Amino acid sequence: MAGNSFGKLFTLTGFGESHGEAVGGVIDGCPAGLLLDVQAIQAELNRRRPGQSKIATPRNEADKVEILSGVFEGVTTGMPIAFVVRNENQKSKDYSNIKSTYRPSHADYTWSTKYGIRDYRGGGRSSAREHIARVVGGAVAKQILATYGISITAYTTQIGSVVWNDNGLVPLFEKIEQSIVRCPDSEKSDEMVAIIEQVRGECDSVGGVVKCVVQGVPVGLGEPVFDRCQALLAHAMLSINAAKGFEYGMGFGAAAMRGSEHNDAFVVKDGIVGTETNRSGGIQGGVTNGEDIYFRVAFKPVATIAREQKSVDSDGNAILFTAHGRHDPCVVPRAVPVVEAMTAMVLVDLLLQTKANKL
C-alpha cells in the first residue's frame, strides 16, 4: 500500500505491527559511499524507546536494530537498506478485553470499517510503535545531512499549561537530553514532569508542543508547487501519531501582523545574502532561503487513559470502557526524536531532488 511509503528519491517503506514479531523497513535511494554509524542509529532508537524514564510507559523493549542489507564493510552500497527491530516485550493479553470494543479517539472503528478486519493488539499498525521505522530512516538521513553541515534539533516547549519560551536560541543537545521531558530549562522541565505525574495519578493524560530548528540549510530546497518545503514538512509532521497541529515561522501569529511587520528584508551579511529577521521560518515561496528553518508541532493528550469512558462495541451496543495495559500519560517527550527523523527524511529527499534541477 502506498500509504506505508514516504519520500520520492530517498524513500522509506515500513512494515510490522505493535504486537507482531517485529517492525522494520526498507530505505531506498540512500547514496553509496556513506560510512554508516549503526551505533548512532541505535542511539536514536534509544531516545524513542519505551521504559526510558519514570514518566514513560513501563513496557520494556530493547528496540535493537538489525541491518539486513545495503551495507558492506560499514559503507552503504546504494542498494536498499533493509532493517528489522524485534518485538520482545509484547503482552497481547492486555488487549483481549477490547477485541469487540471501539476505544474512544482510537483507530479501532475507522480501520475496522475501512479494512473489514482488525488487529486489536495495541492497535496493530495504527500503534505508534511503527515510528521505529521512521526513526531508523531519519537516523540514516541525519548522517547524510551531516555531510552537508545540516543539523536538526527538536525539544519540548509545552506540556499542558506549562510553556517554555526559548527566546529564539537553539538549546544544546546535551541540555535537552538531560531532561526526561526533553525541555532544556530545568525549572520548566520540573514543572512539566509534575503535571505529567499529576494527570497520571488522575488516570488521565496531557498533550504538548515540540519545536524543531534546522541549521545549516542551503538555499533552494523545495519544489514547486505542491512539494513546497513547508508543505512536505507539514505532511511529515501530521503523519505522526497524535500530532494535531503544525506551524512554521510566525505561523498563526502572522495573522495578527501587518506586512510591514512580517516581511523579512534581505541584507548582505559577511558577503552572503540573508534576512534581517526570520519570520518566514527559513522558507519563502516554498523554497529554503538559507536561514534556519523552525516550526512547531502540537500533540494531543494520549487517547488511552485508565478512566471510565462511554463507547460502543462492534455490535453497536453502548458500553462503559476503561483502558488497561502500559501506556504513556504524555507522548511528547518520546515524539521529539520522531519529529527530528521525519524532518531529516524530508530534507534529504529535497536535497537529492535539488541536485537534479540544473546542470
Side-chain angles (χ1 to χ4, degrees):
M1 290 172 31
N4 292 296
S5 297
F6 183 81
K8 289 189 175 181
L9 298 184
F10 183 94
T11 65
L12 170 71
T13 299
F15 66 82
E17 294 79 33
S18 176
H19 287 251
E21 290 297 317
V23 293
V26 176
I27 301 165
D28 206 357
C30 178
L34 176 69
L35 183 61
L36 193 66
D37 187 343
V38 178
Q39 289 186 339
I41 296 174
Q42 186 61 55
E44 291 297 308
L45 283 173
N46 292 344
R47 295 174 69 208
R48 193 223 69 92
R49 69 183 292 272
Q52 61 183 274
S53 76
K54 65 179 182 178
I55 60 170
T57 169
R59 178 174 176 174
N60 186 23
E61 290 280 8
D63 286 353
K64 182 174 176 55
V65 65
E66 302 172 39
I67 305 295
L68 306 178
S69 67
V71 180
F72 180 66
E73 295 182 340
V75 178
T76 58
T77 63
M79 299 300 106
I81 300 172
F83 61 90
V84 68
V85 173
R86 311 285 177 181
N87 293 332
E88 299 176 343
N89 192 232
Q90 67 270 41
K91 293 185 178 180
S92 300
K93 63 181 179 60
D94 286 351
Y95 299 92
S96 58
N97 67 315
I98 66 165
K99 184 175 182 179
S100 301
T101 298
Y102 295 137
R103 295 170 296 172
S105 290
H106 285 73
D108 301 341
Y109 171 71
T110 53
W111 282 45
S112 62
T113 301
K114 179 179 177 67
Y115 297 108
I117 188 170
R118 176 184 167 199
D119 183 348
Y120 59 86
R121 303 167 301 170
R125 185 138 180 83
S126 70
S127 165
R129 187 150 178 79
E130 61 87 8
H131 289 166
I132 283 175
R134 303 174 187 233
V135 171
V136 174
V140 174
K142 276 186 174 183
Q143 294 184 42
I144 298 172
L145 293 175
T147 67
Y148 290 88
I150 302 171
S151 63
I152 301 170
T153 305
Y155 44 97
T156 301
T157 58
Q158 181 174 347
I159 297 291
S161 60
V162 181
V163 180
W164 175 63
N165 185 353
D166 63 11
N167 292 315
L169 300 176
V170 182
L172 294 174
F173 177 79
E174 292 77 12
K175 289 289 291 182
I176 297 168
E177 291 302 299
Q178 285 173 3
S179 164
I180 61 175
V181 289
R182 296 200 161 92
C183 173
D185 182 274
S186 58
E187 183 177 334
K188 288 295 183 180
S189 175
D190 289 344
E191 291 180 31
M192 291 175 182
V193 171
I195 196 170
I196 292 173
E197 291 180 328
Q198 177 187 336
V199 298
R200 179 169 58 184
E202 297 169 353
C203 297
D204 216 332
S205 62
V206 67
V209 175
V210 172
K211 182 174 179 178
C212 185
V213 182
V214 189
Q215 297 174 290
V217 187
V219 179
L221 302 188
E223 301 293 325
V225 290
F226 298 114
D227 287 344
R228 297 168 184 258
C229 184
Q230 75 271 24
L232 295 178
L233 286 171
H235 173 200
M237 297 308 127
L238 294 176
S239 74
I240 300 172
N241 285 30
K244 301 300 285 186
F246 170 86
E247 64 173 3
Y248 75 102
M250 292 300 295
F252 284 93
M257 300 175 73
R258 297 188 179 188
S260 56
E261 296 176 284
H262 185 267
N263 286 351
D264 290 326
F266 283 108
V267 295
V268 176
K269 298 187 249 184
D270 299 324
I272 301 173
V273 174
T275 63
E276 282 187 323
T277 56
N278 187 13
R279 297 185 182 97
S280 299
I283 305 169
Q284 292 171 328
V287 176
T288 57
N289 64 7
E291 301 288 351
D292 292 352
I293 297 173
Y294 65 93
F295 59 85
R296 301 195 310 156
V297 187
F299 290 89
K300 71 174 183 176
V302 177
T304 304
I305 56 177
R307 177 180 289 197
E308 192 173 76
Q309 301 172 85
K310 294 179 180 178
S311 191
V312 297
D313 61 22
S314 55
D315 294 321
N317 300 310
I319 61 170
L320 291 176
F321 169 72
T322 302
H324 302 286
R326 302 160 295 173
H327 307 285
D328 290 281
C330 181
V331 73
V332 176
R334 293 176 60 210
V336 168
V338 183
V339 168
E340 292 182 358
M342 296 305 295
T343 303
M345 287 192 286
V346 167
L347 295 180
V348 162
D349 204 26
L350 287 176
L351 188 65
L352 294 175
Q353 291 177 54
T354 295
K355 288 182 169 294
N357 282 341
K358 59 185 178 183
L359 294 175

